């Protein structure tokens, strides 16, 4: 959510620890919150094709919720595969049921809610039967583990750690279950409690619990349970996530089959970073977390990646190692966090930041409130940690895929770019295809709040799980946006005879350039670009790709400088155009538009009405730039690239064919090497 380069100026010099080169002048801004901390994810032409895989029955929280965010069709939140070779998949529903999917057959394996009279799932987004994971030796020992929430009379029960002095709002309980017959379709056996935490509030309790599925028998990680324990809502007002004397805001690591841990119901792995110390929680593997949500391991490198949900500004992906401190609540992402700050901002790091030893994320994005809104307001964004893909789909291999679980956007980074101490990895936003059509998960679930998470089977294939409508989709392949064939007919502009301008007197044609030398003026009719020239040479095209070099000749100190590329031109009041501009803060600038006998209509995915902001400014200087526009008339897909980088996308099928051109609203500029390659329009 940024303007080019500005975020580099805003971040303090000590962010060099996160690999970002910044000028020394940033230190002078240490007392001012950074208005736009990080760049937006970059749009990608890579799309995931998805197919419906499973539909789960409607479920209800207890007690009845008052928060509409809990009023979902079903609160399914994960998919994994039982490590016994059976191919059975498991899916937990926070409202109580643990489901199995056995080669297409769905049934309840365990009703956690029915086992515990004080079961609680009606307050807080993560309460209920939060997670299930199976011991790597499940086929032989029948053991698996769940985490669930309790309230009411359960709050009088003793908790595992005596440091919990505040009256708890709920308890988070990890339970070990032992199945009499591990191959059975439904659970029958025994269970025992191994850990109980008293949570300060209804948010940020225990999220994921899991085993490293790639750890080999006999290795230090085999059979070791990792626990993502949130700060219980305390972190924003206290130093709890930093303190080694409590388990909150930590990733914990235990041996569930041992006995030397706190309370004697599990063991402490001897290689835990604090295993041999006294006066600290020896279960701690890493600290400094607000809401550590989902984690996974790269099967090729063994690295552990975790999606870490931020407070007001930063969503981050961390690579977690033993002894790490990710800074919360002194840091939010690679920035200073100030508890009690009425501005709810993030601030530049101090010049001596290295002395604190914080570990910073390997990828991150920000979320900003609408103009004029308080930064303390809920932005409606939260990162969900995903997986490094090493499966059978070639274009996804080596990518770390994750989501904004709230709005359902899908992101990825290149795993080899997520380097500790290096620059933050570039985040890309992927497209989504269902039944051959580009879509979004908001459209697929029929709700702006998707609650979307990734799951993975034993072969490394990916699934997407939505609470909004209780469905799971399987990722079946990839498709490239605007990848239609544009044929082999190419027409290039060679001089004045190739062009038909709106106002010929305003144009010059020399040295292979078409030059708009005098700014256009508004004309009667619908609101549309004031001055342009259509390439009259050659045929009209359906599918078409326009390639050109363009330059803005209006002085760079003019903020609303623009040029346009016209395509699908049928008449002076029916055409598309791509607007490339120095400005991206108002509706008419830096976007993809349709003129259809009415005022221009903005089409691009990048425009946010709420933020009054589009794609980052595309041309901010007076240099030549390569612009490429592709229009797939059959699907309506439109892509705009500047200097080889995809900057804008849209889908619209209003106009099926037409000519191409170049112009502006009320600025001057020029183009050279203008050519169109396309399929000749029929009729």
């Amino acid at each position: 959510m940024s303007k080019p380069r500005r975020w580099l100026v805003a971040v303090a010099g000590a962010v060099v620890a996160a690999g970002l080169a910044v000028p020394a002048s940033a230190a002078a801004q240490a007392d001012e919150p950074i208005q736009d901390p990080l760049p937006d994810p970059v749009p990608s032409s890579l799309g995931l094709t998805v197919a419906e895989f499973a539909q789960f029955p409607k479920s209800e929280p207890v007690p009845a919720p008052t928060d509409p965010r809990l009023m979902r069709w079903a609160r399914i939140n994960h998919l994994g595969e039982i490590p016994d070779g059976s191919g059975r998949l498991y899916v937990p529903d926070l409202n109580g049921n643990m489901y199995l999917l056995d080669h297409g057959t769905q049934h309840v394996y365990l009703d956690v809610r029915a086992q515990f009279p004080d079961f609680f799932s009606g307050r807080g987004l993560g309460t209920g039967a939060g997670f299930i994971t199976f011991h790597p030796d499940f086929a032989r020992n029948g053991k698996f583990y769940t985490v669930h929430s309790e309230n009411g009379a359960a709050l009088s029960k003793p908790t595992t750690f005596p440091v919990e002095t505040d009256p708890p709002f709920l308890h988070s309980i990890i339970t070990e279950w032992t199945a009499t017959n591990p191959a059975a379709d439904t659970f029958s056996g025994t269970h025992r409690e191994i850990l109980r935490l008293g949570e300060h509030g209804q948010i940020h309790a225990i999220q994921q619990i899991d085993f490293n599925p790639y750890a080999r028998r006999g290795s230090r990680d085999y059979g070791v349970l990792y626990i993502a324990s949130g700060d219980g809502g305390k972190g924003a007002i206290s130093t709890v996530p930093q303190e080694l004397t409590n388990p909150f805001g930590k990733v914990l690591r235990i041996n569930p089959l041992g006995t030397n841990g706190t309370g004697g119901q599990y063991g402490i792995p001897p290689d835990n970073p604090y295993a041999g110390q006294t006066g600290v929680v020896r279960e701690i593997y890493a600290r400094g977390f607000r809401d550590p949500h989902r984690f996974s391991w790269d099967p090729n490198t063994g690295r552990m990646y975790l999606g870490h949900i931020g407070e007001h500004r930063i969503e981050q992906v961390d690579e977690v190692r033993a002894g790490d401190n990710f800074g919360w609540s002194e840091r939010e992402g690679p920035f200073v966090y100030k508890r009690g700050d009425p501005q709810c901002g993030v601030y530049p790091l101090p010049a001596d930041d290295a002395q604190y030893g914080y570990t910073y994320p390997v990828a991150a994005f920000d979320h900003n409130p609408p103009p004029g809104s308080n930064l303390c307001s809920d932005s409606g964004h939260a990162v969900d940690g995903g997986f490094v893909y090493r499966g059978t789909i070639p274009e996804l291999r080596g990518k770390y895929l994750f989501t904004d679980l709230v709005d359902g956007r899908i992101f990825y980074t290149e795993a080899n770019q997520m380097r500790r101490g290096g620059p933050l990895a570039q985040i890309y936003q992927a497209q989504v295809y269902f039944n051959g059509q580009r879509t979004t998960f908001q459209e697929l679930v029929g709700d702006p709040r998707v609650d979307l998470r990734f799951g993975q089977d034993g072969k490394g294939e990916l699934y997407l799980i939505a609470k909004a409508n209780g469905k799971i989709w399987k990722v079946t392949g990839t498709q490239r946006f605007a990848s239609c064939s544009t044929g082999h007919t190419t027409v290039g502009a060679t001089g004045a005879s190739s062009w038909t301008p709106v106002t010929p007197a305003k144009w010059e044609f020399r040295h292979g350039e078409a030059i708009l030398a005098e700014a256009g003026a508004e004309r009667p009719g619908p609101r549309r670009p004031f001055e342009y020239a259509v390439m009259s040479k050659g045929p009209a095209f359906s599918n078409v790709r326009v390639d050109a070099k363009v330059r803005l000749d209006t002085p760079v100190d003019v903020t609303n400088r623009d040029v346009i590329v016209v395509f699908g031109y049928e008449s002076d009041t029916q055409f598309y155009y791509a607007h490339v501009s120095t400005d991206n803060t108002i509706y008419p600038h830096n976007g993809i538009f349709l003129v259809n006998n009415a005022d221009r209509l903005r089409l691009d995915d990048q425009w946010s009405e709420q933020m009054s902001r589009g794609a980052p400014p595309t041309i901010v200087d007076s240099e030549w730039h390569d612009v490429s526009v592709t229009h797939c008339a059959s699907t309506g897909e439109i892509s705009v690239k500047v200097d080889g980088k995809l900057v804008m996308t849209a889908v619209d099928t209003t106009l099926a064919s037409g000519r191409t051109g170049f112009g502006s609203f009320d600025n001057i500029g020029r183009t050279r090497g203008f050519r169109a390659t396309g399929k000749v329009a029929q009729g």
Side-chain angles (χ1 to χ4, degrees), residues 159-182:
T159 56
T160 302
F161 296 93
V163 298
E164 300 154 4
T165 57
D166 294 341
F169 179 81
L170 58 84
H171 282 181
S172 293
I173 300 95
I174 296 178
T175 303
E176 177 186 87
W177 306 76
T178 303
T180 304
N181 177 11

Side-chain angles (χ1 to χ4, degrees), residues 312-472:
H312 295 297
R313 304 308 304 277
I314 308 300
E315 304 298 319
Q316 65 192 69
V317 177
D318 301 326
E319 186 203 325
V320 182
R321 300 181 188 177
D324 279 345
N325 181 354
F326 289 92
W328 178 252
S329 56
E330 305 294 331
R331 302 288 183 268
E332 185 178 358
F335 304 100
V336 168
Y337 174 81
K338 298 182 179 181
R339 289 183 299 276
D341 173 27
Q343 299 184 81
C344 297
V346 292
Y347 295 80
L349 296 178
D352 62 348
D353 185 66
Q355 69 172 307
Y356 301 105
Y358 296 128
T359 301
Y360 290 115
V362 292
F365 64 96
D366 70 358
H367 41 74
N368 298 318
S373 298
N374 191 308
L375 291 175
C376 301
S377 60
D378 184 358
S379 70
H381 297 284
V383 67
D384 176 65
F387 300 89
V388 177
Y389 183 80
R390 304 291 183 185
T392 60
I393 303 171
E395 283 199 283
L396 297 184
R397 288 186 192 134
K399 292 176 169 52
Y400 176 76
L401 292 107
F402 60 106
T403 72
D404 183 323
L405 64 88
V406 179
D407 65 21
R409 288 178 297 167
I410 295 175
F411 301 124
Y412 69 86
T413 68
E414 299 295 339
N416 61 11
Q417 293 180 9
M418 295 196 298
R419 297 186 294 270
R420 289 164 59 105
L424 293 172
Q426 178 65 65
I427 297 177
Y428 299 89
Q429 181 177 343
Q431 311 282 334
V432 179
Y433 285 87
F434 178 69
N435 288 338
Q437 300 296 313
R438 206 288 297 266
T439 186
T440 67
F441 267 94
Q442 290 182 336
E443 293 172 342
L444 285 177
V445 305
D447 195 310
R449 184 180 179 92
V450 182
D451 274 320
L452 188 71
R453 292 159 175 81
F454 269 110
Q456 187 180 54
D457 65 22
K459 296 179 181 179
E461 300 305 331
L462 296 175
Y463 301 77
L464 285 150
I465 302 108
K467 292 181 185 178
N469 64 351
K471 284 187 178 181
I472 294 180

